[in-house]
Amino acid sequence: MPATLAAPTRARTGLLTSLAAVLLIALNLRLGISSAAALLDALRADLGFSPLVAALLPTLPSLCFAAAGAGTGTLARRLGVERTVLAAVVALTAGLAVRAVPATWALLAGTVLGMSGLALCNVLLPTLVRTHFPQRVGLLTGLYTTTLALGATLASAVAVPVAGAVGSPSLGLAVWALPALAATVVWAAWTGIRTGVVLAPAPTPTERISPWAMARTRLGALVTAYFGLQALNAYAITGWLPSLLSGHGMSEGAAGVVLAVAQAVGIPVSFAVLALAKGPAGLRGAFAAVSAAMLVGFAGLLVAPMALPLVWAVLVGLGLCSFPLVLAVIARSGSGPAQTTALSTLSQSLGYLLAALGPLAVGLLHSATGGWTAPMALLLGTAAAQLAVGIALTRGRP
C-alpha cells in the first residue's frame, strides 16, 4: 500500500479501535453493580449476612468510586492514561471473579476490588473522549453512556435467571467477569501492551492542576454537588428498587425487569437530552426536565409503588439521564485535558462520597422502620435538592 494511503488507513483503524475499546469499557461500568442489586435478596438468603452488610453492599460502589477516584490523576500522570485504564479493567475482572466464592468476605472483597477499577474508568473516560474525539464530545458521551445503560439493563433483566442457570447467586455474579475480561483483552491490544505497538496514545497531561483548586470555583462546587446528588439518587434507587418492589409482593424476577425498564429508558433518551443541551437554554431545560422526572418517579414510589410500577420506572429512568448531562458538562469544561481531569476527579471523588450516603441511609432506614416510607421520603428530598442545584448550575452558563 502506498505510504500516502497507509497513514490515513492506520489513523482510521486506530480511531475505530479506540472507539470500540472505549465502548467496551463503558459496557462493563454497571454490569457488576446492577447484577448485585437484582440478586441482593438471593445473596442475603444464600450467604446469611446481616442487615448491616445488606445496607453496606449497595454503598460500596460509591465509597470505592470516591476513594479510588481521588488518586486517579496522580496514577494517570505516572502510568499514562491508557495503562491506568488497563490496570483498572484488570482489577474489575479480578474483583468480579472473586465474587464467585460463596462467602460474605469474598462478596465484599471482590466488590471493593472491582469497583475500585471502575472508579478509575469513571474519572478517565471524559478525558479520553475529549482527547481522542475533541470535535464529537456530545456524540461520544451519548454513545458511551448509552452503552453503559445497555449493560445496566442487560444485567438487571437477566441476573436472576443467569444465577438460577448456574446454580447460585455467587456464581451468577461471577459470570459478569467474562465481559470484563473481553474488555481487558481489547484494551490491552489497543494500547500495545500485548503487541508492543501503541496505536493511538492519549497524551498524559503534564500540567498539574489540583482538583481542590477547582473546588473553590463556582463551576467546581456546583458540578460536584449536582454529580453527588444525582449519583446518590441513582445508586440508592438502583440498589434498592428490586427489594422495595419484592417487599410489596412482586417476584424477584419481575422486580429485576422493572429495574431493567428504568435503566433502559436512558438508552434512546440520552441522545435526545444531549442534543437538546447544546445551547444554554436547552441545557437548562434538559437539567430541569430530568431532575423533575426523578422527583415525580420517587413520589410515585413513595405514595403508590404497586399502582403503576412501570410508570414510576420510566420516570426514574428519565431522571437517570442526569448522568450523561453532567458528564457532558465536565467534558466540555476547562481549557484542556488537565482541567477536565481535575474537574472530573473533584466531582467524582467528592460526589461519590456524598452518593455513598444514599444506599446506606436507605438500607438502615428500611432496617430500622421495617418499611419503605421513610427511605423514599428521604430520596424525595434529595431529588428536590438535585433539581435546585441543576437550575443553579445552568443559570448564566454560556
Side-chain angles (χ1 to χ4, degrees), residues 298-393:
F298 282 2
L301 289 170
L302 170 64
V303 176
M306 299 304 291
L308 298 166
L310 289 177
V311 172
W312 312 141
V314 168
L315 288 168
V316 167
L318 292 173
L320 295 177
C321 291
S322 56
F323 178 65
L325 269 179
V326 73
L327 283 185
V329 169
I330 292 170
R332 292 169 179 163
S333 297
S335 59
Q339 282 195 352
T340 300
T341 301
L343 181 59
S344 185
T345 300
L346 171 72
S347 59
Q348 297 201 44
S349 57
L350 292 187
Y352 280 123
L353 189 61
L354 172 63
L357 298 176
L360 182 62
V362 168
L364 293 178
L365 278 174
H366 172 60
S367 179
T369 64
W372 292 100
T373 299
M376 287 311 305
L378 173 67
L379 291 183
L380 197 63
T382 56
Q386 177 185 329
L387 176 60
V389 173
I391 292 172
L393 174 62

Side-chain angles (χ1 to χ4, degrees), residues 62-274:
S62 297
L63 288 174
C64 293
F65 290 173
T72 301
T74 300
L75 193 60
R77 284 192 301 275
R78 290 179 178 177
L79 299 181
V81 173
E82 282 87 356
R83 289 176 183 268
T84 302
V85 173
L86 178 62
V89 290
V90 168
L92 171 62
T93 304
L96 295 182
V98 166
R99 299 201 298 188
V101 179
T104 301
W105 69 265
L107 175 63
L108 296 177
T111 298
V112 169
L113 179 59
M115 297 308 105
S116 296
L118 285 188
L120 302 178
C121 294
N122 276 338
V123 172
L124 290 176
L125 271 177
T127 302
L128 286 170
V129 168
R130 179 167 183 159
T131 300
H132 290 289
F133 309 95
Q135 306 304 318
R136 298 180 177 86
V137 169
L139 174 62
L140 264 294
T141 300
L143 280 174
Y144 86 70
T145 53
T146 297
T147 306
L148 181 153
L150 278 170
T153 301
L154 174 66
S156 298
V158 307
V160 173
V162 165
V166 298
S168 80
S170 297
L171 285 176
L173 283 183
V175 165
W176 303 102
L178 297 176
L181 179 61
T184 302
V185 171
V186 171
W187 195 262
W190 178 56
T191 56
I193 301 303
R194 185 167 61 86
T195 62
V197 178
V198 178
L199 294 177
T204 300
T206 56
E207 183 183 4
R208 174 71 171 94
I209 298 178
S210 170
W212 312 118
M214 296 295 297
R216 294 191 290 271
T217 67
R218 180 180 183 274
L219 174 66
L222 287 175
V223 167
T224 299
Y226 189 86
F227 191 98
L229 287 166
Q230 66 82 27
L232 184 155
N233 291 325
Y235 283 96
I237 200 63
T238 56
W240 287 105
L241 181 60
S243 296
L244 183 154
L245 295 174
S246 61
H248 283 90
M250 186 177 289
S251 71
E252 289 182 0
V257 170
V258 173
L259 176 59
V261 168
Q263 293 169 321
V265 167
I267 296 172
V269 174
S270 290
F271 281 104
V273 168
L274 288 169

Side-chain angles (χ1 to χ4, degrees), residues 1-91:
M1 180 180 294
T4 55
L5 296 178
T9 299
R10 285 196 299 270
R12 283 194 299 271
T13 300
L15 192 65
L16 291 175
T17 305
S18 65
L19 174 61
V22 167
L23 294 183
L24 192 53
I25 294 290
L27 179 67
N28 282 276
L29 288 183
R30 294 298 180 269
L31 291 177
I33 298 172
S34 296
S35 56
L39 291 169
L40 180 59
D41 289 342
L43 287 165
R44 186 173 179 183
D46 189 55
L47 302 179
F49 48 74
S50 67
L52 178 60
V53 173
L56 180 62
L57 187 60
T59 308
L60 281 177
S62 297
L63 288 174
C64 293
F65 290 173
T72 301
T74 300
L75 193 60
R77 284 192 301 275
R78 290 179 178 177
L79 299 181
V81 173
E82 282 87 356
R83 289 176 183 268
T84 302
V85 173
L86 178 62
V89 290
V90 168

